[in-house]
Amino acid sequence: MYTLYWERLSGAIAPQVIMEEMGVPYDTVWIDMASGAHRQPGYADINPVRRIPALRLPEDTVIGETAAITLVLGERHIQQDIVPQPGDDDRAVFLFWLSAMAANGYPLFTRSWHPEQITFDEAANETVRQRAEADLADFFAMIDRSISGDPYFLPRGYSALDIYLTMLTEWSADRDALFAANPRIAAVCRAVADRPSYRKVMAQHRE
Ligand SMILES: N[C@@H](CCC(=O)N[C@@H](CS)C(=O)NCC(=O)O)C(=O)O
């Protein structure tokens, strides 16, 4: 059994959607981020990175980082084939874009939503946020140009990249404008939104 450490407000839903797609059993532990529980020893002992989400594996090891969780689930549950495995022609490009979204896209949202985590200068918060929004526009335009499938990211069809990308767009300040400017991203997100796994997880996060 897996245990997912999550928080409704964080919206970091990709690991949960992936587990739903794979049909693997898991339970959840809610971490109260609003009260700072993720920074307290209890959670910090579980995930030293002190960020959410984290996943306890059946053998009791805990891993954080959405990209690492995606890859580990993918190699353990290959039947749905949403994470290309070593030897698969799409593996390299999959790793490239998963890493780009985790290392570039995700932190841009942290900068935009939490500029206070970037600067000690409270007066600079708004400038940090504006720069993050501009960089996000560039980031999504770059992703839109790089989507090679239709309606999904990769020509092979549905993959965890689609889930990850859709998660990022959910954090956008103006998702309609994002979709209008980036039609391939819009197509990916609409296709993902039609999937029962995504609808189920989103409903829980919106409760
Ligand atoms: N690189 C991490 C980022 C995770 C992350 O930043 N999560 C946010 C919630 S969406 C968090 O835990 N923030 C802690 C904080 O704001 O103190 C990942 O991909 O899992």
Side-chain angles (χ1 to χ4, degrees):
M1 177 75 104
Y2 292 95
T3 299
L4 179 69
Y5 297 87
W6 74 299
E7 210 288 337
R8 184 171 293 122
L9 295 176
S10 83
I13 59 171
Q16 192 176 356
V17 177
I18 290 168
M19 287 194 288
E20 289 289 339
E21 285 289 345
M22 291 172 165
V24 302
Y26 65 93
D27 56 19
T28 57
V29 174
W30 182 68
I31 304 296
D32 184 4
M33 266 179 73
S35 72
H38 58 299
R39 297 200 197 93
Q40 302 306 313
Y43 184 71
D45 292 342
I46 292 169
N47 181 5
V49 176
R50 295 182 295 178
R51 291 196 171 262
I52 290 167
L55 186 68
R56 186 178 294 280
L57 306 175
E59 68 270 29
D60 226 21
T61 305
V62 178
I63 57 170
E65 297 297 316
T66 46
I69 293 170
T70 299
L71 292 174
V72 169
L73 287 170
E75 71 192 20
R76 290 177 180 219
H77 305 282
I78 55 174
Q79 62 280 13
Q80 270 71 34
D81 197 27
I82 59 172
V83 177
Q85 295 303 296
D88 189 308
D89 287 348
D90 292 330
R91 171 82 171 174
V93 75
F94 178 92
L95 290 178
F96 174 32
W97 289 114
L98 178 66
S99 303
M101 287 195 280
N104 302 332
Y106 201 136
L108 283 174
F109 278 108
T110 305
R111 276 167 48 191
S112 173
W113 287 93
H114 297 288
E116 77 284 357
Q117 294 186 7
I118 308 301
T119 174
F120 290 117
D121 178 5
E122 204 176 313
N125 281 354
E126 182 54 21
T127 310
V128 169
R129 197 194 60 74
Q130 286 174 8
R131 176 61 194 263
E133 286 298 319
D135 289 350
L136 274 167
D138 278 353
F139 170 80
F140 280 121
M142 179 269 295
I143 292 281
D144 199 68
R145 287 194 298 275
S146 306
I147 289 173
S148 50
D150 181 12
Y152 295 116
F153 202 125
L154 298 176
R156 71 187 278 128
Y158 186 55
S159 78
L161 291 185
D162 304 304
I163 298 169
Y164 205 105
L165 174 58
T166 305
M167 174 185 78
L168 292 183
T169 68
E170 294 280 0
W171 299 335
S172 175
D174 188 343
R175 205 166 181 241
D176 290 339
L178 169 67
F179 285 176
N182 300 285
R184 292 185 192 85
I185 293 177
V188 168
C189 295
R190 290 191 185 111
V192 170
D194 276 346
R195 299 187 73 91
S197 61
Y198 196 78
R199 286 206 299 272
K200 177 178 173 182
V201 175
M202 281 308 287
Q204 288 174 7
H205 278 257
R206 285 178 175 142
E207 268 170 12

